[in-house]
Amino acid sequence: MEPASASQELEQRLGSQNLLALVDKYRGRESKDNFFQRFLVARDSDVEKAFELLKADLEWRENQNTLQYHNVPSRRILEINGSLAGKAMLDTMLPVSYLGKDRQGRPVIYRKIAAPVDAAKLTKETEMTYEHFVKYNIWILERMTQTMEDQGQWLSIMDLSEFAFRHLTKLNLQWAKVLADLMKDHYPERLGKSMLINAPTVFNMGWAIAKTWLDARTKEKVGIFGGEKAWKPEMEKIMDLSILPVELGGNARLSFDPHSLDPRTHEAGAPDAN
């Protein structure tokens, strides 16, 4: 089926269920056709499967009130009983930062699995729950869509230099799966490329598990690299390495309060990689 015909059929199916108002509510500045195409591509142009995916996504967005995340800082999401202790610990364990844009104009998001990451400790010492972590990741993804005005894809970089066997606990893996599930079910075709860098040999065990969470299209977008000699030449092709964190040889000094994805923070002049 031609893309235009598939989009029209999908729109008709949504209209028959009175869902077009929700489409307009949540597509933001993305054109209706591009919005539909993302869901169609994620389901290999099968209109019925794309309809089911999109219908479930719209219902989820209404239930989660995802628009609430567009204009609030991360501290609002992670404040628990008046305390930011959980946020401080999470920023140490799993730092996340918006770095700027790559040579294609795609926003670049950086994550690191740091040595102390421990979901059980986080819960015990700060009362942060799985639900808090889910909401934080929704906030990250919603804020990323805002950086690109609801259009296009992003580049993801994950630093695995401190990844170790002790990180492969059942609870850590449950929390890690949050991002994969959110991306698959609610942000289809938003990921342009994912670079997992500084991967130690033990990460092969983690990847054997994580790749089962991903569909074939997403797995094709993932590149796993060892040390700097492996990832640096490839990364330099797609972005200016100066926007990387200092510890990776760039100029970025990461901030988590205010967070680089907080409203208006990234608009203030984060560097591009052109």
Side-chain angles (χ1 to χ4, degrees):
M1 183 180 295
E2 292 296 320
S5 300
S7 290
Q8 291 170 2
E9 185 175 340
L10 179 55
E11 184 170 9
Q12 290 172 358
R13 287 284 285 116
L14 291 161
S16 69
Q17 298 292 313
N18 298 314
L19 292 171
L20 291 178
L22 290 182
V23 168
D24 288 336
K25 180 178 179 178
Y26 290 109
R27 66 184 172 86
R29 287 158 286 191
E30 186 174 31
S31 71
K32 191 179 295 184
D33 185 59
N34 287 344
F35 181 78
F36 291 153
Q37 281 301 315
R38 287 195 296 108
F39 286 84
L40 285 163
V41 169
R43 290 297 180 266
D44 298 319
S45 297
D46 185 309
V47 174
E48 188 57 33
K49 289 181 179 179
F51 168 75
E52 293 298 333
L53 178 63
L54 182 46
K55 179 175 181 290
D57 174 65
L58 293 171
E59 292 171 348
W60 173 82
R61 289 182 178 279
E62 279 285 273
N63 182 57
Q64 291 288 332
N65 186 20
T66 55
L67 296 182
Q68 71 177 304
Y69 299 103
H70 289 191
N71 297 303
V72 298
S74 59
R75 58 172 27 233
R76 183 86 62 82
I77 303 299
L78 293 175
E79 183 175 339
I80 303 171
N81 297 325
S83 172
L84 291 171
K87 179 185 186 309
M89 185 177 287
L90 183 59
D91 287 338
T92 300
M93 291 181 172
L94 292 169
V96 179
S97 185
Y98 169 79
L99 298 181
K101 296 181 179 179
D102 69 7
R103 301 188 194 281
Q104 296 181 41
R106 299 178 298 187
V108 181
I109 186 169
Y110 164 84
R111 293 183 175 87
K112 181 176 181 178
I113 298 180
V117 64
D118 184 339
K121 180 179 180 180
L122 189 63
T123 299
K124 181 179 180 180
E125 296 187 9
T126 73
E127 300 183 1
M128 181 175 289
T129 65
Y130 176 81
E131 288 71 27
H132 289 118
F133 188 68
V134 170
K135 288 183 177 181
Y136 177 56
N137 277 275
I138 296 172
W139 178 83
I140 290 170
L141 296 172
E142 286 297 305
R143 290 300 303 149
M144 282 297 291
T145 63
Q146 293 294 290
T147 69
M148 56 189 192
E149 298 185 341
D150 308 301
Q151 302 171 74
Q153 298 179 315
W154 55 64
L155 167 66
S156 174
I157 298 171
M158 180 174 287
D159 182 7
L160 299 167
S161 58
E162 298 179 18
F163 184 87
F165 179 76
R166 66 179 179 277
H167 294 146
L168 295 173
T169 68
K170 182 177 180 180
L171 189 59
N172 279 356
L173 290 170
Q174 179 189 3
W175 284 40
K177 191 171 180 288
V178 167
L179 182 60
D181 288 345
L182 286 172
M183 290 288 294
K184 176 181 64 177
D185 296 335
H186 306 296
Y187 301 87
E189 293 304 303
R190 284 304 193 195
L191 178 67
K193 185 175 181 63
S194 177
M195 300 186 71
L196 310 183
I197 65 173
N198 299 320
T201 302
V202 69
F203 180 68
N204 291 334
M205 299 176 65
W207 178 240
I209 297 170
K211 69 182 181 182
T212 65
W213 306 335
L214 310 177
D215 58 40
R217 289 184 60 83
T218 301
K219 282 187 280 191
E220 290 176 358
K221 298 176 182 180
V222 177
I224 302 176
F225 303 87
E228 183 177 305
K229 289 184 179 179
W231 60 259
K232 189 173 182 178
E234 293 303 312
M235 192 178 292
E236 199 164 23
K237 295 175 184 177
I238 58 178
M239 60 179 274
D240 183 341
L241 301 186
S242 69
I243 69 172
L244 287 172
V246 170
E247 63 184 273
L248 292 178
N251 298 326
R253 298 187 181 279
L254 306 185
S255 170
F256 303 107
D257 196 12
H259 195 283
S260 57
L261 279 169
D262 281 350
R264 294 179 297 280
T265 301
H266 72 276
E267 292 92 346
D272 292 347
N274 296 313

